[in-house]
Amino acid sequence: MAINVAHFHHEKWNGQGYPEKLSGNQIPFEARIMALADVFDALVSRRCYKDSFSYDKAFQIIEESLGSHFDPELGKIFIQCRPQLEELYNTYQAE
């Protein structure tokens, strides 16, 4: 499972990702989950090269990318978890 997450989380639902250019359900399930988590974290977290995006902007980007970058069904579930994700990030960003 860890190998699948590490190796395939940059694949895109539409087959335009890397390293294998897998698409749809060819992408391991756990990697499809990690793709959402990885992009969300990259968007809402401040980095040395960029400021963080708002939750509204991050969820907008993810929603617009369902069916192209992300698994549309998993993405809908991810978006439904917004309150819990915001609470989690708000808790740890305050520390």
Side-chain angles (χ1 to χ4, degrees):
M1 185 182 296
I3 291 169
N4 283 344
V5 167
H7 189 74
F8 295 111
H9 76 279
H10 287 291
E11 298 288 356
K12 293 185 178 180
W13 187 254
N14 65 7
Q16 298 299 306
Y18 65 90
E20 307 290 333
K21 295 207 177 289
L22 301 179
S23 65
N25 290 323
Q26 293 175 316
I27 304 165
F29 183 72
E30 55 271 20
R32 289 183 271 147
I33 293 170
M34 185 63 197
L36 285 157
D38 183 50
V39 169
F40 179 77
D41 184 68
L43 292 171
V44 301
S45 298
R46 185 177 177 276
R47 301 285 195 247
C48 62
Y49 54 87
K50 71 161 198 70
D51 286 331
S52 60
F53 287 108
S54 69
Y55 295 128
D56 286 339
K57 183 65 176 173
F59 280 100
Q60 176 189 351
I61 290 168
I62 288 173
E63 189 166 14
E64 290 172 354
S65 301
L66 299 182
S68 58
H69 189 149
F70 305 111
D71 176 329
E73 296 305 314
L74 282 177
K76 290 176 190 173
I77 295 166
F78 184 86
I79 290 168
Q80 290 173 356
C81 295
R82 180 177 176 162
Q84 295 92 334
L85 289 164
E86 287 186 25
E87 181 180 351
L88 177 71
Y89 272 79
N90 290 336
T91 298
Y92 289 102
Q93 287 176 349
E95 292 181 0

